[in-house]
Each structure stands twice: as structure tokens, then as C-alpha cells.
Amino acid sequence: MTDPVNKEDELAGSEQPFVQHLFELRDRLLRALYGVAAVLAVLLFYPGPSMLYDLLAMPLVKVLPEGSRMIAVGVVSPFLVPIKVTVLAAIGLSLPWILYQVWAFVAPGLYKHEKKLVMPLVAASTVLFYMGAAFCYFFVFGQAFPAIQKMAPVSVAVSPDIEAYLDFVITMFIAFGVAFEVPIVVVILARMGIVTVAQLKSFRAYFVVGAAAVAGLVTPPDPVSMLALLVPMYLLYEIGIVAAQVFIKHTKAPDEGAEAANS
């Protein structure tokens, strides 16, 4: 029988002076910024800020009444808003690189079993955030904007402001991106022992009520948009329960495994 792994021995000799940690943090931040700058330079050249904004505005523009167009209220909005979209797109596309730099900074201070937990969660959270934003753009906007246009009074000329539209879209992307992180939250809570898998199963009804409240607050005032957020959140909650059981089993510390074997 092999001896249990000693946690103190696993990280022995990996300690670094505080100043060295600051230098490492600086280097990682610079690398993250260089990555964002590189992506930004490419996006500024192709497809360009104007085309990026047109792409972002497409779900709304195609449902506007015939002859209507979006407007720019601010004097410099036609210039600044597309630039903002380009910067945000660069940050979004660089998110895996940014998170990798965060991972590379903290990984040397983690135990082996902790690395098994953190790296998959970082990768999964990135993918889920992208999925939430894509689901919002391709499905929710396609259902919500036509419904909103139908609710507009005949006496109202619909000409949305480009800056107000950008603020709305960013809010929706963040709301759906964060909502799609439900499995990650469930796994973390279960792995930290704050709740058990049995409790998570018993909390289903409460989660549905809470998710419905959140969906009602962050989505446009139509039932399609609300259900478009509520249903995925519930399905992701169920996925989180299954994932929590897998993570708890495969990311136990050596002493936890030994205790489980002796019990």
C-alpha cells in the first residue's frame, strides 16, 4: 500500500518572494493586454468598426419598419460607438487568452487535485459565456425584437439610438452569459461543501422561481424572451447537478480520498 500524498511536500520549494510574484503578475497582465491589442488591431483593419456595428445591429435593423433607420443622437456617437463595439469584441475574443494568463499565474500555487478542478471550470465557464451570448444574439433577439416592434403605437416612429442599442445589447449579453454559468456555480457550491447534491435536487422548485424572477428582470417585457432565458437556466441547473457529482468524485484531495476509503 502506498503512502498518502503529503500536501506539504507537493508544493515544497515552489515558494517565491513577494516581489517575484509582483513581477509575474505584471508580466501576465502585459501579455493579456498584448493579446487584446493584437486582436483589436486585426478587427480595426478587418472587418472594421462600422461593419462590426452593422453586424451587431442586424437583428434589430431587419425588423424596423420600412424606411426606418437607427439614429445617432450624440455628435461623436457615429465614431465612438463603433469603436466601443470593436474594443468590446476584441476583449471578448481574447477572453480565452486572458483567462489562460490568470490560470498560468495561479497554477504554481495549486495542488494537483485543485488543478484538476480549476482548469476545467475555467475552460467550461468561457465556453458557457460564449454560448449564452450567442444564444441571446441568434435566438432571443430574433424573437424579442419583432414582438417589441408590434407593441409600438402607430403614432410612434421607431428609430432607435445607436448608443442606447449598444448599452441594451451589452446588458443582454452579460445577463445571458452569466445565466449560462449556472452549472459552474452549482459545481463550486457542491465541491466546497456549501450544499450537497441531495440538497441541490430538493432545491429545484426554488431555483425555478428564482430563475423566473431573474428572467423577468433582465429580459424585454415579452413572454418569449423570459422563457428563452428561464428554460436554459433550468436545463443548465440539471446539468450542473450531474457535473457536480462527477467533479466531487474526481477532484478529491488525497486526504479526502483516504478518509473515504477508511470510512
Side-chain angles (χ1 to χ4, degrees):
M1 180 180 297
T2 58
D3 295 333
V5 178
N6 190 326
K7 288 185 178 180
E8 295 182 357
D9 293 341
E10 187 178 339
L11 296 181
S14 64
E15 299 86 356
Q16 293 182 353
F18 179 71
V19 175
Q20 189 68 28
H21 283 295
L22 291 180
F23 286 143
E24 176 71 12
L25 177 60
R26 180 203 61 186
D27 292 342
R28 293 297 174 184
L29 288 174
L30 288 175
R31 290 175 186 176
L33 289 175
Y34 293 155
V36 174
V39 175
L40 178 60
V42 173
L43 293 179
L44 288 173
F45 179 75
Y46 181 83
S50 296
M51 188 174 294
L52 279 175
Y53 188 87
D54 289 341
L55 181 63
L56 185 67
M58 186 184 302
L60 177 61
V61 172
K62 67 182 182 181
V63 300
L64 288 176
E66 185 176 356
S68 296
R69 300 176 62 183
M70 299 183 71
I71 62 173
V73 176
V75 176
V76 295
S77 292
F79 170 76
L80 286 183
V81 173
I83 293 296
K84 288 181 182 179
V85 171
T86 308
V87 172
L88 292 172
I91 295 173
L93 292 174
S94 304
L95 189 58
W97 173 250
I98 296 172
L99 292 177
Y100 170 76
Q101 297 304 320
V102 175
W103 164 253
F105 177 71
V106 303
L110 299 177
Y111 294 109
K112 187 176 181 180
H113 70 278
E114 292 174 334
K115 293 180 182 179
K116 290 181 180 179
L117 173 65
V118 175
M119 189 57 181
L121 289 181
V122 170
S125 62
T126 304
V127 173
L128 287 171
F129 189 89
Y130 283 151
M131 289 176 59
F135 180 78
C136 180
Y137 179 83
F138 290 106
F139 178 76
V140 176
F141 287 169
Q143 301 298 320
F145 289 154
I148 294 174
Q149 296 304 316
K150 291 178 182 178
M151 297 177 186
V154 179
S155 59
V156 175
V158 181
S159 299
D161 174 54
I162 60 173
E163 192 164 6
Y165 176 76
L166 175 61
D167 293 340
F168 171 80
V169 167
I170 296 303
T171 301
M172 291 291 290
F173 280 173
I174 293 175
F176 274 81
V178 172
F180 270 57
E181 301 291 336
V182 168
I184 306 299
V185 176
V186 170
V187 168
I188 292 175
L189 291 176
R191 184 62 188 85
M192 293 178 64
I194 297 176
V195 293
T196 64
V197 173
Q199 288 175 326
L200 288 171
K201 293 178 179 179
S202 66
F203 290 161
R204 284 189 177 103
Y206 300 104
F207 178 82
V208 171
V209 173
V214 172
L217 289 173
V218 302
T219 58
D222 66 278
V224 174
S225 299
M226 179 178 175
L227 289 175
L229 181 57
L230 174 59
V231 173
M233 285 181 69
Y234 175 73
L235 295 177
L236 290 167
Y237 182 78
E238 295 292 341
I239 293 173
I241 293 176
V242 176
Q245 299 178 70
V246 176
F247 268 83
I248 291 174
K249 179 180 178 181
H250 293 284
T251 61
K252 289 182 178 179
D255 57 343
E256 292 178 338
E259 291 176 1
N262 294 331
S263 59

